[in-house]
Amino acid sequence: HFEISDIKKISQLVEKAKDKIGDGRMAVVQPDITSYGLTRMFELITEGKTQLDIMVFRSYDEALLWIQS
């Protein structure tokens, strides 16, 4: 189980590695409401700090549709 402090640490790591990661899309599937909320925080914290377009979804099918669009 993640906590907000974990999300902030992961966001900082992603920001530091942004040149290695590059650009593109990253879909994260979190069907559990708590995990979804924390991952949305990650999405918002990293927004504009990397070239990644990160979106969080509740279902695999939604994520797949977005990735393929």
Side-chain angles (χ1 to χ4, degrees), residues 25-27 53 57 62-69:
R25 288 182 160 190
M26 181 171 79
D53 189 5
F57 299 92
E62 288 176 307
L64 189 59
L65 282 173
W66 179 74
I67 285 288
Q68 293 176 338
S69 66

Side-chain angles (χ1 to χ4, degrees), residues 1-66:
H1 179 69
F2 286 107
E3 296 181 9
I4 188 64
S5 60
D6 300 318
I7 299 301
K8 288 179 180 178
K9 288 176 189 174
I10 294 168
S11 177
Q12 290 170 348
L13 290 172
V14 168
E15 185 178 355
K16 287 180 184 177
K18 67 182 175 184
D19 292 333
K20 292 180 183 179
I21 295 170
D23 62 358
R25 288 182 160 190
M26 181 171 79
V28 181
V29 178
Q30 292 288 12
D32 173 79
I33 190 70
T34 303
S35 299
Y36 175 83
L38 287 170
T39 309
R40 279 282 292 133
M41 286 184 207
F42 168 75
E43 177 186 343
L44 295 172
I45 290 169
T46 57
E47 187 174 30
K49 296 180 181 177
T50 71
Q51 297 174 337
L52 279 176
D53 189 5
I54 303 169
M55 291 286 289
V56 184
F57 299 92
R58 298 287 305 272
S59 77
Y60 175 80
D61 291 337
E62 288 176 307
L64 189 59
L65 282 173
W66 179 74

